[in-house]
Every structure is written in structure tokens, then in C-alpha cells.
Amino acid sequence: MNIGFEERHIEVSGLTTRYLTAGNNDPPLVLLHGVGDSAADWSWVLEDIGTRHRVLALDFPGAGDSAKPRRDYSIDFLTQFLRDFLQILEIPRAVLVGNSLGGLIALRFALSNPEQVPALILVDSMGFGQVVNPILSSLTLPLYGELAIAWCKTPLGAKQRAWSRAALLFANPWEVPAKWLAEQERMGLLPGFLEANLSMLRSQIYVLGQQNLVLESLPQVQMPTLVVWGVNDLVIPYNQAQDAVSRLQQGHLALIPSCGHLPQVEQPKLFADALKQFLPGHL
């Protein structure tokens, strides 16, 4: 993981919450990760983006080094958690940057609280179409996900989980940063992490694909919105990004070549450049 940013812990709605922060220029950028990931995914771009903006990358409950209570990790719960997080830190307005499930949560928050979100950045976001990789939808089957958890809690299973996720999430899995793999392996062995993330996955995906779609709501999005997508995303095809941008009032599209589901990790410079080109004209 890079240096140059600070790790902090706060209490949000009674839950210990970790976040990473860098920079000091407002309005801040709040970075939201996806299922099975954490704030660490943003560490490859925090310093770069932090030279121009204050950035905060949080661990949702159930992820990273935040608390992992046994509960239902619904999209409504995570959206409310984001609201509470911003309130605790006294952040009245923030650019939301959401990857995968984090993108869907950012979008739902922005639709409900447009005055708090001057701009929106959605990165390989869920919620734009039903199609999703069947590897993920199969995990939502009764008992199958629980059996996968039992195996992944073993040291060998944790390693296999990390490499399997690399093959799914990256266009070039043989070039995945060793620190990303190590973090995936570490998290897989944390008590409560796999159960919480299976609950998150099931909140958005079922055997036939994605649910909680927001395509019909996109014309209501008022703020400038950048949609960033890896051209080689195996989780969600990039044609969903093109469809989404066509429905937005102020939609902009940045396709990242030779890149999968995590542009901020696989192509951090191209990802940061896309944000630098978008943000100055829209804040």
C-alpha cells in the first residue's frame, strides 16, 4: 500500500469505522468500495487525487477493518450508513466516487440528497442492467455461498479466493499488485467478513442477475456525472456504461483500456487522469 495518507477510526451509528484520508481542498471526494473489497482499493490513487482534493476512502461495515456485526447488509442499510458517516464528519457536500456496489449506493444517495452532491463519479457501477457475471450470481444460491465461505475461511481457501477474485476483477490478473492479493487474503480470514459480504452480494444480485436497477431514475440525476469503466470488465459489460450515460442529463464517459472491474487498482494513472479532466469543470 502507498504512503502519504492517514488511517483513522471513528464511531458511526455505534460501529467502529475505518477510513483513509489525504489532501485538504474542499469539496471532499468520498470513495466507496464494492463487495469483497475495502478502502485499500483506493490506496493506489489517494496520493495523486489528494494533491488537488481532500479525499476520504471508507470501509463499509462488514468490510476491511470496520466492524462486522452479524446482520442484514442491505443497500438501504449501507446508504443510511453513508449518510451517517457524512453527518458525523460534518461534511455537508461531497463528490461521491463509487465502485461497483459502492457506485449504486453513491447514486441512490445522490438521488435522495442532490443538494449534498455537487458531482458524481460512478466506476464500473452496479444497478445499470440485469446482466452480471454468473460466477457472482451463483454465489447467491441457497447453501452454495455458505459452502464457499467455509472453504475460504481456511488458509488455502483464502489464497484461492484471492487469486480467483484477481482472475475475475482484472483484465491482466498476472499483473495484479502483490499487496492487493495479500489484502484480499487477509480480509478473507477476518471473522465476519465473508458472511457480511455474501449478505451485501445477495442484496443486489440473485440467480438471474442484478436487481435494484436504477436506469429509469438516471434522467432525474441533476449533477454532472462521470461514468468510468474498464473496457475488459468481466463482471459487468461496458455497454451498460454507455446506456447509462445516454440517459443522464450531464453524463460523461471515460473508458479505460486494458482494464477490468477495478480501474483504480489496475490502471491508477489513467483513472486519476480521468478524474482530473472531469472535476475542474464541474465543481
Side-chain angles (χ1 to χ4, degrees):
M1 189 181 297
N2 293 333
I3 60 174
F5 52 85
E6 183 179 351
E7 178 177 331
R8 298 179 184 175
H9 294 82
I10 58 170
E11 292 289 316
V12 180
S13 302
L15 299 174
T16 300
T17 302
R18 180 187 75 154
Y19 69 98
L20 310 176
T21 184
N24 53 23
N25 293 326
D26 286 335
L29 274 60
V30 176
L31 314 179
L32 310 174
H33 64 80
V35 179
D37 294 301
S38 72
D41 276 7
W42 303 102
S43 61
W44 281 267
V45 297
L46 274 176
E47 285 186 67
D48 196 349
I49 301 174
T51 60
R52 301 189 182 197
H53 304 276
R54 178 187 176 199
V55 289
L56 304 95
L58 66 87
D59 279 339
F60 278 120
D65 290 318
S66 288
K68 302 170 185 63
R70 184 181 295 274
R71 59 155 299 135
D72 177 22
Y73 288 84
S74 68
I75 292 173
D76 286 343
F77 165 69
L78 296 174
T79 305
Q80 181 60 50
F81 177 85
L82 172 60
R83 185 175 291 109
D84 295 341
F85 176 82
L86 296 175
Q87 184 174 4
I88 289 291
L89 290 180
E90 298 181 344
I91 298 175
R93 296 174 77 248
V95 176
L96 299 183
V97 184
N99 178 216
S100 196
L101 185 65
L104 177 58
I105 293 164
L107 182 55
R108 285 168 58 95
F109 181 91
L111 283 165
S112 300
N113 307 274
E115 73 285 352
Q116 292 184 243
V117 185
L120 189 60
I121 300 172
L122 306 173
V123 186
D124 295 75
S125 179
M126 289 187 174
F128 292 160
Q130 188 173 10
V131 174
V132 70
N133 193 297
I135 291 175
L136 293 181
S137 56
S138 66
L139 287 171
T140 67
L141 291 170
L143 297 181
Y144 184 75
E146 285 75 12
L147 289 172
I149 285 176
W151 165 245
C152 291
K153 282 185 173 182
T154 68
L156 182 58
K159 286 184 181 294
Q160 184 185 52
R161 172 188 174 274
W163 279 105
S164 296
R165 283 180 60 78
L168 177 65
L169 300 178
F170 290 84
N172 305 292
W174 53 91
E175 297 177 359
V176 172
K179 291 180 181 178
W180 185 89
L181 285 168
E183 176 67 2
Q184 284 290 314
E185 185 177 341
R186 182 188 77 87
M187 288 194 300
L189 296 173
L190 293 176
F193 172 78
L194 295 173
E195 290 85 352
N197 279 271
L198 180 59
S199 178
M200 289 183 201
L201 188 68
R202 285 172 170 166
S203 74
Q204 173 57 14
I205 296 175
Y206 71 128
V207 66
L208 297 180
Q210 293 191 66
Q211 47 193 347
N212 299 304
L213 303 183
V214 291
L215 278 177
E216 299 306 316
S217 300
L218 292 182
Q220 303 170 26
V221 177
Q222 302 172 15
M223 66 287 299
T225 302
L226 174 65
V227 178
V228 183
W229 219 274
V231 172
N232 307 104
D233 190 343
L234 297 178
V235 178
I236 308 172
Y238 75 85
N239 68 294
Q240 292 188 17
Q242 295 168 321
D243 187 14
V245 169
S246 72
R247 297 169 184 252
L248 290 163
Q249 293 184 34
Q250 301 185 66
H252 305 262
L253 178 62
L255 295 177
I256 308 296
S258 189
C259 186
H261 196 62
L262 302 177
Q264 68 273 31
V265 180
E266 189 165 18
Q267 296 287 358
K269 185 179 186 308
L270 293 179
F271 176 82
D273 286 348
L275 269 60
K276 290 176 186 175
Q277 292 173 20
F278 169 75
L279 287 169
H282 296 98
L283 290 181

